[in-house]
Amino acid sequence: MKPVTATLHNFNAGPSILPKEVFEQASEAILDFNGTGLSILEIGHRTPLFESVMQEARELVRELMLLDNDHEVLFLHGGATTQFMQVPMNLLNENDIAAYTESGTWAVKAIKEAKVFGHVELAGSAKDSNYTRIPRQLSISPTASYLHLTSNETIAGTQWFDFPYDCGVPIVADMSSDILSRELDFNKFSLIYAGAQKNMGAAGVNLVVIDKNILGKTIRTIPTILDYRNHIAEGSMLNTPPVFAVYVAMLTLRWLKNQGGVPAMEVRNNQKANLFYSTLDSLPLFKGPVAKEDRSRMNAVFIMSDPSLEKEFLQLCTQEGMIGIKGHRSVGGFRVSMYNALPLESVSALTELMKDFARQKG
Ligand code: PMP
């Protein structure tokens, strides 16, 4: 069904909403990049024109995340799925152990790839709750090469708020769906990776932030393109980067800085999440399956107490221009993604619709 309204509210889980000005600037650059008469798509990546894009993108990440000098910023090919294997390939010896937390679909995928390279121990799991909470009381071998966690489970709708910073081993985090959405001490993580297509830009590029001191400890031979050390040595320009995706990430990072940086995003994201969850909790027709203290501020999942009404509610949402609220195909129900670029007005429009629907059915 096509929306009958001109105003669209984009709750897609990824690729997802980006700031309108980023779309405008990115479109301009396709036709004429910075007044050069050339498209961003046709300039060499080793020209000063593109090199300055890469440099600005890397510097903005450093500035926005308040990174120390041990941490390097890379923009690498492939989605976050590539990092599921690149992390253990670089950090885990065949006979060693890596600790993983099993928090949902994305963590499970990361675990599967790590097993290709070494031993995995489950430091904690939320499987028994059907991933409706974040694993707690972790048990981590002191000899583990690292602890891996998924800071925000995009499908389950859970998020870490209490990180095990003092666990005694390097922490690796998949922050694909909450990168730059809230203030964290990013320097406490030894490696952070995130596909760009949610909070940071267009699909096709990964952000990797890595403490260079954790590298060089594995004995396997790592293919050139997959060895983080080579990317660091070449300033994230080992081969042709996904130039357009890096450009869109740079524009999005500029936007984020102009908005007041990560602290401003956190305020904005908390407002949206508070409005959404308080509405959800006030309407018996809707139910949130996730433990309240672990509810994601990026991806809110919910079901209806009368499942036979789900289709009608979804139709109403589509008609009113609410895009992308159908839950992931593996879990059903609904999912509302509230990434950085989503305005509070969109959440407000949705919560009003939920209230109207509940009134009608009540
Ligand atoms: N990790 C998380 C938390 C994700 O949400 C996703 C994608 N939705 C991925 C990893 C995989 O990312 P990609 O599709 O870019 O490989």
Side-chain angles (χ1 to χ4, degrees):
M1 198 198 307
K2 245 182 122 180
V4 292
T5 164
T7 313
L8 297 180
H9 300 286
N10 186 351
F11 298 101
N12 273 325
S16 37
I17 186 167
L18 289 175
K20 192 157 181 273
E21 61 202 77
V22 169
F23 292 137
E24 284 162 0
Q25 291 160 359
S27 337
E28 256 170 50
I30 287 187
L31 296 174
D32 181 4
F33 177 59
N34 283 357
T36 55
L38 292 167
S39 166
I40 176 94
L41 302 179
E42 62 180 340
I43 55 172
H45 62 291
R46 306 237 178 249
T47 57
L49 282 174
F50 183 75
E51 277 170 353
S52 69
V53 171
M54 180 61 97
Q55 197 185 339
E56 186 174 345
R58 294 176 78 207
E59 275 166 13
L60 279 166
V61 170
R62 180 167 290 289
E63 188 184 335
L64 290 164
M65 293 174 87
L66 305 172
L67 296 176
D68 62 27
N69 288 334
D70 285 333
H71 284 77
E72 295 281 347
V73 178
L74 302 173
F75 283 93
L76 302 184
H77 288 268
T81 306
T82 312
Q83 293 307 308
F84 293 163
M85 63 92 179
Q86 198 168 351
V87 165
M89 184 186 274
N90 279 261
L91 304 184
L92 179 60
N93 275 314
E94 203 176 334
N95 295 322
D96 289 347
I97 294 171
Y100 274 70
T101 51
E102 193 185 36
S103 49
T105 309
W106 298 109
V108 167
K109 286 183 194 277
I111 290 167
K112 179 171 175 244
E113 297 305 291
K115 285 182 177 165
V116 173
F117 297 96
H119 298 283
V120 168
E121 74 174 10
L122 279 193
S125 174
K127 193 176 177 185
D128 60 353
S129 73
N130 203 16
Y131 304 122
T132 55
R133 58 176 181 81
I134 285 294
R136 289 210 166 70
Q137 281 151 357
L138 305 183
S139 136
I140 304 159
S141 299
T143 56
S145 301
Y146 59 88
L147 168 74
H148 179 280
L149 55 87
T150 311
S151 60
N152 186 77
E153 279 285 353
T154 326
I155 295 175
T158 56
Q159 192 171 23
W160 286 78
F161 294 103
D162 220 356
F163 289 92
Y165 290 128
D166 299 323
C167 67
V169 302
I171 304 180
V172 174
D174 174 1
M175 293 198 186
S176 293
S177 48
D178 66 351
I179 189 80
L180 298 168
S181 69
R182 54 176 168 161
E183 286 188 271
L184 290 177
D185 189 347
F186 296 105
N187 291 310
K188 292 222 166 104
F189 295 85
S190 296
L191 197 153
I192 294 169
Y193 61 92
Q197 67 269 27
K198 298 167 199 299
N199 270 335
M200 266 197 48
V205 68
N206 269 324
L207 169 69
V208 175
V209 171
I210 187 164
D211 176 350
K212 49 183 181 261
N213 301 311
I214 62 165
L215 297 174
K217 294 182 183 160
T218 39
I219 48 180
R220 77 171 53 82
T221 307
I222 303 171
T224 309
I225 190 72
L226 293 173
D227 191 329
Y228 293 122
R229 288 170 300 180
N230 297 332
H231 289 282
I232 293 171
E234 296 298 326
S236 203
M237 296 274 276
L238 177 63
N239 69 329
T240 316
V243 287
F244 190 61
V246 173
Y247 183 63
V248 178
M250 189 276 278
L251 293 175
T252 311
L253 291 162
R254 261 191 202 164
W255 170 85
L256 216 148
K257 184 180 167 186
N258 290 338
Q259 296 291 308
V262 178
M265 287 302 122
E266 176 162 345
V267 169
R268 199 179 140 105
N269 291 329
N270 283 348
Q271 278 173 343
K272 291 181 281 181
N274 289 342
L275 174 60
F276 180 79
Y277 287 120
S278 60
T279 308
L280 184 77
D281 292 339
S282 71
L283 302 170
L285 186 63
F286 298 97
K287 279 191 178 153
V290 171
K292 283 194 181 163
E293 63 277 19
D294 296 330
R295 283 171 164 178
S296 166
R297 295 180 191 159
M298 295 281 99
N299 313 96
V301 296
F302 64 98
I303 50 178
M304 296 187 93
S305 45
D306 177 358
S308 70
L309 293 175
E310 287 192 356
K311 203 167 161 215
E312 190 183 337
F313 181 65
L314 192 61
Q315 270 171 356
L316 179 67
C317 288
T318 310
Q319 193 183 310
E320 295 298 318
M322 315 271 163
I323 314 286
I325 73 154
K326 198 169 190 302
H328 189 269
R329 59 186 189 279
S330 62
V331 291
F334 300 92
R335 171 174 53 173
V336 174
S337 296
M338 301 177 280
Y339 297 123
N340 285 349
L342 185 84
L344 179 63
E345 295 71 48
S346 288
V347 179
S348 193
L350 176 63
T351 50
E352 286 309 311
L353 200 67
M354 289 165 74
K355 285 194 246 173
D356 281 352
F357 190 74
R359 255 193 305 268
Q360 263 178 47
K361 300 298 165 190

